[in-house]
Amino acid sequence: MIGIVIVSHSAKLAEGIRELAMQMVKDRVPIAVAGGIEDPHDPIGTDPLRVAAAIEAVYSVDGVLVLMDLGSALMSAETALEFLEPDQQKNVFLCEAPVVEGTIAAAVEAMLGRSITQVMAAARNALIAKRQQLAPLLPQSAPEASSEPLPNMAEALVLTLTVPNRLGLHARPLVKLIELINHFSAEVYVTKNATTVNGRSINQMAALGARQGDELHFQAVGQEAAATLTAIQALAADNFADLDGAARTEQAPVGVAGATKTVAPHQRLGIPASVGIAIGPVAAPGFVLPAVVESIVDDAVAEWQRFQAAIQAALAELQAVQRSTQQTVGPDPALIFAAHRLILQDPELQENVRRQIIDEHRNAEAAWQQALQGIVDRYQAIEDDYLRARIADVLDSGQRVLRHLLKVALPTLEFEQSVILVAEQLMPSDTARLDPTKILGLVTSTGGATSHSAILARALGIPAIVGVTDLLSDVTDGQVIALDGATGQIWLAPTPEVLADLQQKRTQWLAAQQVAIQAGRQSAITRDGKRIEIGANISSHHDLDFALEMGAEGVGLFRSEFLWMGREQLPDEAEQLLAFRTAAQKLDARPLIIRTLDVGGDKPIAYLGIGAEMNPFLGWRGIRYCLDNPEIFKPHLRAILRASAEQSIKLMLPMVSTVAEVQRAKTMIAAVQDELRSAGIAFDHALEIGIMIETPSAVLLADQLAQTVDFFSIGTNDLAQYLMAADRDNAQVASLANALQPTVIRAIQHVVQAAHAAGIWVGMCGELAGNPLATALLVGLGLDELSMHARAIPQVKARIQQLELTQAQQLAEKCLTLGSVTAIEELLAEFAPVTPPSDNRG
């Protein structure tokens, strides 16, 4: 555990500060003091030897934080470091935080198991509460206090940039910027006009309201200050990784600007948010949370821990929502939920809540709601409508935490029949849960065309209108209405003539959609005859209708673990069999690759008894868990084998690291086959068995593994993070876990060569497979199959249809010579096929 040392000129003051801190942490954090000197006539002063002894008394490899009052206390602390061994010195940190407030904040964070970086940050931010409380009492002529203490910026490096983004620094480019800053060891502050904010705080950065053309001054101090500013400059030159102009998925439909036009009595007019015609019955579910009641708690530390548990649960849910959205509609809309996670992790927001709970003993619900309101008030002060619309993201992520604190379940958004959903407000995470096959249209009373809910509705292809005030009082559940998402018109009681006209428009709209995805209906064949099989990644048979409509030629990844998730007990063999057989029948002889149960890591399932692990991604997951639990694995295998009878099913093992694991799994599969054979139960005796290549070990053993299986499928998501030793969900290092890293590209080449040398085919089912920027590279590297989220299929197929294999191979050879992600991405962005696609392709 982290130790804390208090250095003061006064022994009594040091002991008093320690006593205050111990009141908070109840002797659960080691705190030592070094106060005064050995002179009874003049005891005020500091002694380096006392400081060194205090550090030794609480020393831990986790770190020691030293806080000092003033003057010689700093010099004594610096001298004390010289008395320590070199390997100890690197774990001792002198902190400039206020000694009283800083010690208390640091002690609480240390008790909760935070890292030394987090403990130091809490100490440095300890004056925020006092500043905020005293702000109304300051004379008007006094300069406005910053929301947190700034470090000494005298030696700061400065970078001045003009915001290039058409929509300013909204949520998604902000996510990219803050993730980049978190990657470096430097303190970054950003100034616009006279306002300076912490560059690591998404809420403070968003509240700047940085619009296109605004000038921002980035100040950086610390070991990697120069590298940080260089990286920020490069990101800005790339439009902060934001899509440009009309290419944006969030481009709102052209139509009326708002609900101001005069309309007929049974018509309403709103803001067009997503094009399309919808006709159907209304569903108007309520989404109101119970009122928060403020109270005083006796055990503030326990209340803080309860709040942190709610935060962690919400972060885990948002991680799942982000991945699900990425699989459904692609990585760009999914960044919305990366922004939600950053909101919850915002250091300023966390400190505000901590102060209310620890200092004021306020209950977590009330503290969280008040802290959120402060953020909302800041957003409301932003002049730019687009940036102000991000209030919904603050409320959405905030309400997710409140649900955990209040123990209120998420509202259901599943409907037996197809409906038009009408709501006062629909949060982005609610929109992401909508099933486009059941939601004909969407109408909300609030919101704008550039809200994240509108962006997601467009990505899902759901016609939507927003900003229709008081609509809920004019409709009832089951009432048939109609809407035109392109014009913002709503018909509350459509006449037969209106219905006929709208139905004709709907038919035309659907026909236009069919033309847009026609490339997906054609085979993915290069201009010189190389065919690449294109599959879809799915989580259930419900995903198949849309995947086939987009042009999927099969399923390259059925995530069977989703049958286990969102429930309290194991799915039995019959339930699994039904799910697999239903999917296979829908595919009608097209291939279905079922990945066996892949739990652990980022997919914990409580009732399976895996438990908490220090490093879950390196722990008991995938094939490791299944081999150790035959009572779970064997019924799972039986269901897959039984479904394979008269169906085109393949079985794929995840998280393979050794040849022995494959052999053990195949032995277990053979035993299940013998049982089925003895019982006279049909199955495919020639069932193909493949493995995921997602560990460095599997890459290096690819030639040996290829002798034991029928195919490989490369999982680039995990492979990238394992090869780069970088957690893709850790914002500080996530940029390293890029599947276009030179290391990953070389690993893919090695695996493809090993597979082909053994006479087996190799596919890819990671996110890289659905990235059109990488399509030519993957074809050039020799991939035989690509499987991706359904919406990416038409664009990837179109790219392949424009390629010549020789061009793609030359591109791959060039990429293999490059030494950075940036260089590879630039080359891929510059690449374009020489000749246009043929018009008479079959």
Side-chain angles (χ1 to χ4, degrees):
M1 173 175 280
I2 290 167
I4 297 173
V5 173
I6 304 165
V7 182
S8 173
H9 285 67
S10 167
K12 291 181 179 179
L13 176 59
E15 285 293 347
I17 296 171
R18 182 181 185 278
E19 183 180 355
L20 271 175
M22 283 303 184
Q23 287 285 331
M24 292 290 182
V25 300
K26 313 293 185 188
D27 293 320
R28 285 176 277 187
V29 176
I31 303 177
V33 298
I37 58 176
E38 291 288 348
D39 185 344
H41 301 293
D42 188 12
I44 301 298
T46 56
D47 181 351
L49 290 175
R50 283 192 172 189
V51 177
I55 293 172
E56 291 276 9
V58 298
Y59 179 78
S60 166
V61 292
D62 293 331
V64 176
L65 189 68
V66 182
L67 296 108
M68 306 139 289
D69 54 10
L70 46 85
S72 65
L74 174 57
M75 290 184 286
S76 293
E78 290 176 326
T79 303
L81 292 180
E82 299 175 7
F83 298 133
L84 304 177
E85 296 295 330
D87 60 338
Q88 290 182 313
Q89 291 178 9
K90 66 182 181 182
N91 294 321
V92 179
F93 301 84
L94 308 186
C95 183
E96 77 284 4
V99 66
V100 179
E101 295 91 341
T103 298
I104 295 170
V108 172
E109 291 296 296
M111 181 194 64
L112 297 174
R114 305 296 186 216
S115 68
I116 186 66
T117 302
Q118 292 169 314
V119 170
M120 192 180 305
R124 286 171 170 162
N125 291 335
L127 285 179
I128 290 176
K130 189 179 288 185
R131 281 199 178 99
Q132 290 176 337
Q133 187 169 347
L134 293 177
L137 304 178
L138 292 174
Q140 291 186 352
S141 59
E144 183 180 348
S146 171
S147 61
E148 63 179 83
L150 295 176
N152 182 4
M153 306 301 286
E155 298 181 0
L157 300 179
V158 180
L159 170 68
T160 299
L161 294 172
T162 300
V163 177
N165 304 60
R166 181 173 60 86
L167 294 173
L169 289 186
H170 58 95
R172 278 160 291 155
L174 271 183
V175 167
K176 294 294 186 183
L177 174 59
I178 292 170
E179 285 180 344
L180 182 146
I181 291 173
N182 285 335
H183 179 63
F184 291 94
S185 177
E187 295 297 322
V188 179
Y189 289 84
V190 184
T191 301
K192 174 192 164 188
N193 299 329
T195 304
T196 299
V197 301
N198 184 345
R200 296 181 187 272
S201 168
I202 191 169
N203 291 317
Q204 291 186 36
M205 288 290 291
L208 271 183
R211 294 182 287 185
Q212 186 179 41
D214 283 348
E215 190 173 78
L216 300 181
H217 304 280
F218 290 81
Q219 295 174 279
V221 292
Q223 184 179 358
E224 296 183 313
T228 306
L229 295 184
T230 299
I232 291 172
Q233 188 170 30
L235 184 66
D238 190 33
N239 214 40
F240 288 97
D242 196 14
L243 296 178
D244 189 38
R248 298 189 61 87
T249 58
E250 61 195 71
Q251 183 67 37
V254 177
V256 295
T260 57
K261 184 178 176 181
T262 302
V263 292
H266 295 293
Q267 260 187 272
R268 300 296 298 276
L269 194 65
I271 301 169
S274 180
V275 298
I277 305 291
I279 304 168
V282 165
F287 300 106
V288 180
L289 277 172
V292 170
V293 178
E294 184 175 343
S295 63
I296 299 299
V297 296
D298 294 327
D299 191 339
V301 172
E303 188 71 357
W304 172 250
Q305 291 173 330
R306 185 171 77 91
F307 169 70
Q308 287 298 314
I311 287 286
Q312 293 306 313
L315 287 172
E317 287 179 352
L318 285 170
Q319 184 181 67
V321 172
Q322 182 180 348
R323 290 204 174 147
S324 174
T325 305
Q326 186 162 317
Q327 292 157 6
T328 306
V329 295
D332 191 54
L335 282 176
I336 291 168
F337 302 107
H340 284 204
R341 293 175 66 204
L342 285 175
I343 288 170
L344 298 189
Q345 294 168 317
D346 189 292
E348 179 198 29
L349 188 58
Q350 289 270 325
E351 172 57 24
N352 188 324
V353 177
R354 190 203 67 79
R355 174 186 61 79
Q356 293 184 66
I357 293 175
I358 299 297
D359 297 352
E360 303 173 19
H361 285 243
R362 181 172 288 158
N363 62 315
E365 294 89 343
W368 179 241
Q369 189 172 61
Q370 181 167 316
L372 278 178
Q373 188 58 50
I375 301 297
V376 169
D377 290 345
R378 271 196 222 160
Y379 275 85
Q380 287 177 331
I382 298 175
E383 294 180 1
D384 186 272
D385 290 340
Y386 181 82
L387 297 176
R388 192 167 57 248
R390 302 291 78 83
I391 288 174
D393 297 290
V394 176
L395 294 175
D396 190 3
S397 51
Q399 286 178 8
R400 185 174 292 274
V401 177
L402 271 181
R403 287 187 186 281
H404 285 283
L405 291 171
L406 296 168
K407 300 187 182 307
V408 176
L410 282 170
T412 181
L413 288 170
E414 297 179 1
F415 303 95
E416 293 184 2
Q417 62 175 338
S418 297
V419 298
I420 294 177
L421 187 62
V422 179
E424 178 69 23
Q425 181 179 32
L426 199 64
M427 294 298 181
S429 61
D430 292 326
T431 308
R433 291 192 291 137
L434 298 180
D435 180 356
T437 65
K438 290 292 187 182
I439 305 300
L440 299 170
L442 173 64
V443 184
T444 64
S445 299
T446 61
T450 55
S451 71
H452 281 159
S453 289
I455 291 168
L456 288 164
R458 290 194 287 277
L460 290 166
I462 299 173
I465 300 173
V466 298
V468 189
T469 56
D470 301 324
L471 181 65
L472 283 169
S473 61
D474 294 338
V475 296
T476 57
D477 276 353
Q479 175 182 339
V480 174
I481 67 172
L483 66 86
D484 185 340
T487 65
Q489 291 174 283
I490 301 169
W491 291 264
L492 303 182
T495 64
E497 293 78 16
V498 168
L499 286 174
D501 181 56
L502 289 175
Q503 191 59 57
Q504 183 180 3
K505 288 182 179 180
R506 177 173 169 79
T507 301
Q508 293 170 346
W509 171 58
L510 293 174
Q513 284 189 315
Q514 291 303 312
V515 171
I517 64 173
Q518 192 57 43
R521 301 285 176 82
Q522 300 174 0
S523 297
I525 304 174
T526 66
R527 294 185 58 78
D528 45 0
K530 169 67 175 177
R531 179 174 181 180
I532 309 297
E533 188 170 327
I534 303 297
N537 297 342
I538 68 169
S539 302
S540 81
H541 64 84
H542 297 294
D543 301 335
L544 274 174
D545 290 338
F546 183 67
L548 293 173
E549 182 183 352
M550 290 293 104
E553 299 165 2
V555 169
L557 173 63
F558 187 127
R559 303 180 186 88
S560 67
E561 62 272 12
F562 278 80
L563 293 172
W564 273 260
M565 297 172 74
R567 55 192 299 156
E568 300 300 326
Q569 60 185 10
L570 293 166
D572 60 22
E573 181 182 328
E575 184 178 348
Q576 295 180 57
L577 172 60
L578 177 62
F580 300 145
R581 184 175 283 165
T582 302
Q585 290 171 345
K586 276 192 173 185
L587 284 168
D588 191 23
R590 300 179 185 89
L592 170 63
I593 299 177
I594 301 174
R595 180 175 68 188
T596 58
L597 179 61
D598 187 16
V599 293
D602 59 333
K603 291 166 283 193
I605 298 175
Y607 63 82
L608 291 181
I610 295 176
E613 296 179 291
M614 287 295 291
N615 292 295
F617 279 102
L618 303 180
W620 203 30
R621 61 174 300 201
I623 193 63
R624 302 168 183 176
Y625 176 85
C626 289
L627 291 175
D628 289 345
N629 291 274
E631 73 283 0
I632 292 174
F633 195 33
K634 279 193 170 184
H636 182 44
L637 293 174
R638 285 174 59 89
I640 296 173
L641 286 165
R642 290 174 63 188
S644 72
E646 300 181 2
Q647 305 293 343
S648 182
I649 287 178
K650 299 176 175 63
L651 182 151
M652 182 163 66
L653 305 171
M655 194 61 185
V656 168
S657 300
T658 68
V659 173
E661 287 172 335
V662 178
Q663 291 170 338
R664 283 182 63 194
K666 291 181 72 174
T667 298
M668 203 174 291
I669 293 169
V672 173
Q673 289 174 325
D674 288 342
E675 293 172 6
L676 294 175
R677 195 178 291 110
S678 298
I681 298 174
F683 64 92
D684 180 5
H685 294 263
L687 177 76
E688 289 187 32
I689 299 172
I691 62 170
M692 295 276 291
I693 301 291
E694 50 189 340
T695 67
S697 176
V699 173
L700 295 175
L701 289 174
D703 57 338
Q704 295 182 28
L705 290 167
Q707 303 298 323
T708 67
V709 296
D710 300 302
F711 65 91
F712 287 160
S713 185
I714 302 173
T716 53
N717 300 354
D718 274 340
L719 182 60
Q721 75 169 351
Y722 289 138
L723 282 172
M724 300 305 298
D727 181 356
R728 64 176 183 260
D729 295 318
N730 182 333
Q732 292 181 311
V733 297
S735 60
L736 286 172
N738 187 327
L740 287 175
Q741 288 279 3
T743 305
V744 182
I745 302 304
R746 293 186 178 204
I748 294 170
Q749 180 198 37
H750 176 76
V751 171
V752 171
Q753 290 176 344
H756 289 171
I760 67 172
W761 62 270
V762 56
M764 178 181 289
C765 59
E767 289 302 322
L768 187 64
N771 182 354
L773 182 71
T775 301
L777 169 61
L778 299 180
V779 171
L781 287 171
L783 274 295
D784 302 296
E785 180 248 23
L786 300 173
S787 189
M788 62 204 69
H789 62 87
R791 287 192 178 275
I793 290 174
Q795 195 171 0
V796 169
K797 279 194 170 185
R799 286 285 285 160
I800 292 172
Q801 292 161 6
Q802 296 171 24
L803 288 173
E804 288 187 359
L805 180 59
T806 53
Q807 291 176 302
Q809 290 170 336
Q810 290 169 3
L811 176 68
E813 289 173 4
K814 288 182 181 178
C815 286
L816 288 165
T817 67
L818 300 176
S820 72
V821 170
T822 301
I824 291 172
E825 289 178 337
E826 287 177 353
L827 180 60
L828 295 180
E830 293 170 2
F831 177 79
V834 173
T835 52
S838 171
D839 292 331
N840 55 6
R841 297 292 305 252

